[in-house]
Amino acid sequence: MAKIRPLSGFPEWLPEQRLVEQRVLDEIRARFESYGFAPVETRSVEPLEQLTSKGATDKEIYVLRRIHAGEGDPDTGFGLHFDLTVPFARYVMQHRGELAYPFKRYQIQRVWRGERPQVGRYREFTQADIDVVDLDSLSLSFDAEMPRLLAETLAALPLPPVVTGINNRKVLEGLYRGIGIEEVTPVLRIADKLAKIGADNVRRLLGEECGLSVTQADTCLAAAQIRSTDTSFVAAVRALGVTHELLDEGLDELAFVMGELADLPAGSVVADLSIARGLDYYTGTVYEAVMPSRPELGTVCAGGRYDNLVGGSGNVRLPGVGISIGVTRMLAPILAKKQLAASRSVPTCVLVTLPADEARGVARDVTRSLRARGVPTETYHAPAKFGKQLKYAQKRGIPFVWFVPTDAAAPHEVKDLRSGEQIVADPAVWSPPDADLRPSIVRSGAG
RNA sequence: GUGGGUGUAGCUCAGUCGGUUAGAGCGCCUGUCUGUGGCACAGGAGGUCGCGGGUUCGAUUCCCGUCACUCACCCCA
């Protein structure tokens, strides 16, 4: 029998950690719904051709296979989804006649990637996605709604601050074409690495790997270094002296988005012209969010506009824009280091003690009464010394212990385990302070 | 997929220059403090030293392989 060990890249949590994750997921869902996004859940698997088309080719996909399949038998042709956007595109196509447009949906599910795990990189993790799709054309105002909702959601979470960088593919593509670059994609990839490898390396690689002239490389580098928290990036790009139709279009779009977000708290969004987002299906606005205090985590949220992901055949055209929150990436390192934990390992707020078997009836009545008032309550399972029952509550962090009377004449009492204070209480009316009703999230240590 | 590091108790780690019953701290369980927890003290459970093979009288220790974990590259939430 093999030893029981954790599986790398498949994080699991103790209850006091899972409680934090659940709270975060609840908060995200509430924010998504406050903007009117409708809930959707898709199946965990998609046909492999669905997963491998759409330009997302180099994702490591887990393939489904029956254990009793024969040696030469093919697999089932299904794979676990590696994101929520591709399944969503399939979902929209499948139900396109039944949905109301623009269709706004949110989807919070696990996804799987068969990559080598590392810090902040997992093989099974949770994403929280919002997307909007519309028929034929999609209003640019949704490009601005995404980072707004994202910023609001992240600000409400018990996590370090997150900055969302915004760019527009058309700006870079137009700019590159405007200076005579034919092969845009490899230039995008290298420019995207600016933050990681630095300006000198970007300049060198643009020359070595893309064959750019010194002036071309300098222009690309200068563009990638443009950042602004308002619309002033437009002037900075214009100053490069490049003109191209696509560039103008991209600048207009990005300026609109940044203008729409001008009221957000300072530092929550920034126009960052180095962001390219790999070579996926994005066609316009792109987003990439990072935690400045945890740069090693990399991108914690990402997304963008895709005009051709949904549809692509016939006359059906469903452009979309969306963003994905990397819940596991943001949370897992913090949970693992116990920098955030729940104040108790169980939801229980009150433990009703059981002094003797004859008291079961009374204990049950007290428990029921508390539960009816919304207080998570459990009864100790067997008559035992109070010391043992108190310890049961203590170890789980349950804040209150209820003592049923040992003789009919005596009053009920409730004890606050933290202060040690014990008071006479009426089971029909006593309630804990609101703050103690549910486990709270506690920060500890540095970070 | 490529390269480096590491595998001893639930956790963090000692240790064995190859030699009888493999250790510590924390955690866990029990008891004592006349049915009210935390503290203290006393006791206890828990390990085929990752797995397979080789060398040897003898391997947890040395060698090879393998798997797992981990770090970096690639790529990404």
Side-chain angles (χ1 to χ4, degrees):
Chain A
M1 186 67 193
K3 204 170 177 182
I4 294 172
R5 293 187 172 283
L7 259 185
S8 174
F10 292 85
E12 289 183 323
W13 305 116
L14 294 172
E16 55 266 40
Q17 298 168 315
R18 171 61 177 163
L19 279 164
V20 175
E21 188 180 41
Q22 265 186 338
R23 192 66 59 84
V24 164
L25 293 171
D26 287 348
E27 183 65 48
I28 290 172
R29 189 177 65 212
R31 296 280 160 175
F32 286 179
E33 292 188 348
S34 79
Y35 273 61
F37 286 77
V40 160
E41 182 170 74
T42 61
R43 62 203 186 197
S44 299
V45 298
E46 296 290 339
L48 283 173
E49 72 242 34
Q50 190 76 36
L51 293 171
T52 51
S53 62
K54 310 298 182 193
T57 45
D58 48 277
K59 298 281 198 297
E60 289 290 342
I61 299 168
Y62 283 117
V63 175
L64 249 58
R65 183 183 161 86
R66 291 189 312 116
I67 198 161
H68 283 139
E71 269 303 294
D73 288 1
D75 54 58
T76 56
F78 304 141
L80 290 168
H81 58 221
F82 54 81
D83 75 0
L84 300 179
T85 308
V86 170
F88 174 60
R90 189 268 310 159
Y91 178 93
V92 169
M93 280 309 287
Q94 190 177 319
H95 300 283
R96 63 186 179 282
E98 307 165 83
L99 303 174
Y101 301 93
F103 178 55
K104 302 165 64 165
R105 83 88 174 78
Y106 75 87
Q107 197 172 337
I108 304 173
Q109 286 180 242
R110 294 203 201 231
V111 304
W112 295 268
R113 292 184 194 175
E115 297 167 343
R116 269 271 202 296
Q118 259 178 61
V119 209
R121 179 204 263 175
Y122 304 88
R123 297 195 284 194
E124 176 178 67
F125 56 100
T126 301
Q127 289 194 164
D129 274 40
I130 39 170
D131 284 88
V132 188
V133 295
D134 203 352
L135 297 165
D136 299 321
S137 72
L138 173 69
S139 167
L140 201 58
S141 80
F142 291 116
D143 293 56
E145 185 167 85
M146 294 295 144
R148 173 181 301 281
L149 173 46
L150 181 68
E152 214 172 88
T153 303
L154 294 172
L157 300 178
L159 294 172
V162 173
V163 179
T164 305
I166 308 176
N167 194 9
N168 193 303
R169 275 276 179 90
K170 295 174 185 172
V171 172
L172 296 183
E173 267 192 62
L175 189 84
Y176 295 165
R177 296 200 190 288
I179 57 172
I181 297 172
E182 311 248 320
E183 285 268 344
V184 172
T185 304
V187 182
L188 280 175
R189 290 182 72 137
I190 292 170
D192 190 51
K193 297 184 181 201
L194 177 61
K196 202 168 189 178
I197 64 176
D200 291 339
N201 284 319
V202 168
R203 184 186 292 110
R204 183 174 55 79
L205 288 174
L206 286 175
E208 286 175 8
E209 294 190 9
C210 305
L212 300 196
S213 70
V214 175
T215 36
Q216 280 177 323
D218 280 345
T219 304
C220 293
L221 183 59
Q225 286 172 316
I226 294 171
R227 289 168 62 90
S228 79
T229 55
D230 51 24
T231 55
S232 63
F233 69 90
V234 179
V237 175
R238 294 287 183 214
L240 297 173
V242 182
T243 54
H244 191 277
E245 195 183 339
L246 199 56
L247 172 61
D248 293 343
E249 200 179 317
L251 284 176
D252 285 349
E253 290 185 7
L254 186 53
F256 173 82
V257 170
M258 288 306 291
E260 283 289 295
L261 299 173
D263 64 305
L264 288 182
S268 46
V269 295
V270 56
D272 181 341
L273 298 217
S274 71
I275 293 170
R277 288 274 74 222
L279 57 150
D280 278 328
Y281 30 68
Y282 298 116
T283 51
T285 310
V286 284
Y287 314 105
E288 196 167 280
V290 296
M291 275 184 190
S293 62
R294 320 277 297 224
E296 75 279 6
L297 296 186
T299 309
V300 295
C301 308
R305 174 179 276 251
Y306 41 92
D307 284 335
N308 308 311
L309 181 61
V310 184
S313 66
N315 298 324
V316 188
R317 207 175 109 85
L318 290 155
V321 62
I323 202 160
S324 174
I325 301 179
V327 178
T328 306
R329 174 169 285 186
M330 289 197 303
L331 208 50
I334 288 167
L335 291 179
K337 289 181 189 167
K338 307 256 170 103
Q339 289 169 344
L340 282 181
S343 55
R344 52 183 117 122
S345 64
V346 291
T348 314
C349 179
V350 181
L351 176 74
V352 176
T353 57
L354 185 64
D357 272 320
E358 301 75 60
R360 280 187 189 274
V362 186
R364 184 173 56 239
D365 290 344
V366 172
T367 301
R368 187 192 303 147
S369 172
L370 286 164
R371 284 178 188 156
R373 270 173 282 136
V375 183
T377 305
E378 57 182 305
T379 314
Y380 196 78
H381 48 86
K385 287 198 203 175
F386 285 143
K388 195 164 180 175
Q389 302 193 44
L390 283 162
K391 212 167 174 179
Y392 176 96
Q394 164 81 25
K395 286 194 62 174
R396 290 161 179 75
I398 298 170
F400 295 100
V401 173
W402 192 281
F403 292 97
V404 301
T406 44
D407 69 273
H412 289 258
E413 294 187 10
V414 64
K415 176 174 186 132
D416 183 329
L417 237 44
R418 296 156 301 185
S419 64
E421 186 190 16
Q422 185 166 329
I423 58 169
V424 171
D426 181 348
V429 300
W430 180 89
S431 278
D434 282 352
D436 290 330
L437 224 39
R438 313 179 138 278
S440 56
I441 294 173
V442 185
R443 270 172 232 272
S444 69

